Amino acid sequence: MAEIQVYGAPWCPDCRRSKKFLGEHRVEYDWIDIDTDAEGLRFVEELQNGGRTIPTIIFPDGSSLLEPSNEELARKLGLNIEAERAFYDLAIIGGGPAGLAAGIYAAREGIDAIIVDGGSLGGQAGVTERVDNYPGFPDGIEGGELADRFVRQARRYGVEMLEAVSVSDLRADEQEGDVSLTLSSGQEINAHAALIATGSSYRRLEVPGEDGLIGAGVHFCATCDGPFYRGSEELLVIGGGNSGLEEGLFLTNFAERVRILERSPELKGSQLLQDKVLSHPAIEVHTSTEVVELLGRGGRLQEVRARNSESGEDLSWSPAGVFVFIGLTPNTEFLRGAVELDEWGFVASEGFATSLEGVYVAGDVRAGSTKQLGSATGDGIAALLAVREYLGRHGHMLEAAHPA
């Protein structure tokens, strides 16, 4: 058993949020559904003198948190959520591969940088089951391990990093010629320059029934939630691109059958992945098929209704869980009105410079980027070199860089 236990119920939104937070930070935990586990319910009631507040999270030292915020969870896990100082040479917003690569290069260049991430360090790479196309790993590597290596290298160079703290506002300090950031904790920090590397989030289906079933049968991370379905008869994957096909293959470790739905007439993933999926005995593929409704009962997924766009046939399945991989939405809501965005919400740039002086962009959130792990890392490095040039032009560079 894991050292942390989470007591809750599938219909509880705060339970889903806490599970997501722990999963993103690669913290192992056991899930106890008090709706179906009488002993679990009894334990919660005894702990709370008859109360049933959930989630109830029990830690290895015997302490507990009831319905904690992400900030409370972060503090309990020992994550750094407060900046040490009020001013830096560079504030990097986002701790995925692009932001971490930029932070490593910043330290080596003698640039005093801080990385601020609203989720967990490592970004989407950290919750990817396996990475097979990153140079230097001929046998592939688990996404979490690769992310941990990025983080360890940044720490080796002394880069300050905040987790579970998002930036709620970014603006130019016209009087000083610097950039000001307001954090979700209420803290304000300033820097000579900023680098936006906030990446993107998984896109939702936007069909009836989806919102009430997220985390209770509908998921966006097979690595986080796939193990909960070990031994199930059927799981359903929506999306026939690289992510959908990769995660579909991964989910065959837990279910007897995996059904993949793609709304286009053909799968969109690489030919290598398509060959693996189409030859796998446990995978069934449906193209030209779109989900129209998700039905639940008692806070749990019961039925997926879909329609074949070519034949007009209505289809219905009752999988144990649904995993959605249909694209990405840029994490730029906090930037609206601050920097120029394209029609899809990605940050527009010339090279890596945004429309706001002193603010640069790198990785998946940059308009025109390839949305690949390797290129995001390169983006972070190239953007950092552009930041170094900017700081040098304005007389903000230190005399010497950190030693190799």
Side-chain angles (χ1 to χ4, degrees):
M1 293 183 63
E3 292 184 327
I4 294 177
Q5 284 81 48
V6 180
Y7 292 81
W11 46 263
C12 164
D14 284 320
C15 298
R16 296 196 291 268
R17 174 180 51 77
S18 293
K19 287 168 61 181
K20 181 175 183 291
F21 183 88
L22 293 171
E24 286 179 341
H25 286 84
R26 301 182 287 286
V27 175
E28 293 187 2
Y29 64 91
D30 287 323
W31 166 250
I32 299 94
D33 182 353
I34 65 171
D35 277 355
T36 59
D37 190 320
E39 182 61 26
L41 176 59
R42 184 194 62 78
F43 175 81
V44 168
E45 290 178 333
E46 283 189 1
L47 183 70
Q48 300 180 30
N49 295 317
R52 294 185 178 183
T53 299
I54 53 175
T56 296
I57 304 179
I58 309 299
F59 296 89
D61 60 3
S63 63
S64 62
L65 288 176
L66 308 182
E67 202 176 354
S69 65
N70 283 353
E71 183 175 332
E72 289 174 314
L73 270 175
R75 290 183 184 278
K76 184 64 179 178
L77 295 172
L79 304 179
N80 186 24
I81 62 172
E82 293 182 359
E84 295 175 1
R85 301 188 306 284
F87 197 92
Y88 298 83
D89 291 333
L90 172 64
I92 300 172
I93 309 169
L100 289 169
I104 291 167
Y105 269 69
R108 289 175 56 85
E109 294 289 337
I111 298 171
D112 180 27
I114 183 173
I115 295 175
V116 182
D117 193 284
S120 59
L121 296 172
Q124 288 187 30
V127 294
T128 299
E129 191 268 333
R130 191 162 189 83
V131 177
D132 281 318
N133 60 353
Y134 195 76
F137 297 93
D139 298 321
I141 184 172
E142 291 183 2
E145 182 182 348
L146 182 61
D148 287 341
R149 291 186 181 213
F150 273 85
V151 173
R152 288 201 304 271
Q153 191 169 3
R155 285 186 173 137
R156 170 191 165 199
Y157 285 105
V159 179
E160 185 180 347
M161 294 178 281
L162 308 184
E163 295 186 75
V165 180
S166 58
V167 174
S168 56
D169 182 59
L170 179 149
R171 62 193 180 282
D173 185 337
E174 296 180 359
Q175 185 174 356
E176 299 294 333
D178 297 318
V179 181
S180 294
L181 283 70
T182 301
L183 309 185
S184 57
S185 61
Q187 189 176 17
E188 184 169 303
I189 60 175
N190 296 274
H192 289 312
L195 174 59
I196 301 165
T198 48
S200 48
S201 301
Y202 294 111
R203 189 173 297 151
R204 295 187 180 186
L205 294 170
E206 305 295 343
V207 299
E210 179 183 29
D211 287 346
L213 292 170
I214 291 176
V218 176
H219 309 274
F220 301 86
C221 175
T223 307
C224 304
D225 298 318
F228 292 119
Y229 294 96
R230 192 181 302 277
S232 61
E233 182 179 336
E234 180 178 314
L235 294 173
L236 193 148
V237 171
I238 302 172
N242 284 338
S243 295
L245 300 187
E246 288 171 352
E247 303 294 12
L249 288 165
F250 172 64
L251 289 170
T252 60
N253 293 311
F254 310 110
E256 295 178 13
R257 179 173 60 254
V258 173
R259 199 181 298 274
I260 297 178
L261 275 56
E262 164 58 43
R263 63 186 299 179
S264 300
E266 299 178 350
L267 296 176
K268 298 178 180 178
S270 69
Q271 192 59 53
L272 177 63
L273 282 172
Q274 288 192 43
D275 292 342
K276 287 183 178 180
V277 164
L278 294 173
S279 63
H280 200 293
I283 295 180
E284 185 173 333
V285 174
H286 299 261
T287 55
S288 300
T289 302
E290 187 172 2
V291 173
V292 295
E293 187 177 13
L294 300 172
L295 300 177
R297 181 180 301 167
R300 291 183 176 81
L301 176 70
Q302 292 291 318
E303 183 183 357
V304 176
R305 292 181 178 175
R307 181 171 297 119
N308 185 290
S309 59
E310 292 184 350
S311 66
E313 179 185 7
D314 290 325
L315 304 164
S316 175
W317 301 284
S318 296
V322 170
F323 291 80
V324 182
F325 305 102
I326 57 171
L328 301 166
T329 299
N331 297 321
T332 55
E333 192 61 37
F334 74 102
L335 293 171
R336 296 192 180 278
V339 300
E340 182 183 348
L341 307 177
D342 71 6
E343 58 184 306
W344 296 283
F346 291 90
V347 179
S349 65
E350 183 174 341
F352 298 97
T354 73
S355 59
L356 185 61
E357 185 178 9
V359 179
Y360 293 75
V361 61
D364 287 4
V365 74
R366 181 175 66 84
S369 63
T370 61
K371 315 299 185 282
Q372 295 291 315
L373 173 59
S375 57
T377 304
D379 244 29
I381 295 168
L384 187 280
L385 297 179
V387 169
R388 181 188 65 178
E389 182 182 350
Y390 171 82
L391 293 175
R393 289 200 310 270
H394 290 77
H396 298 315
M397 283 292 295
L398 297 177
E399 290 295 326
H402 289 194

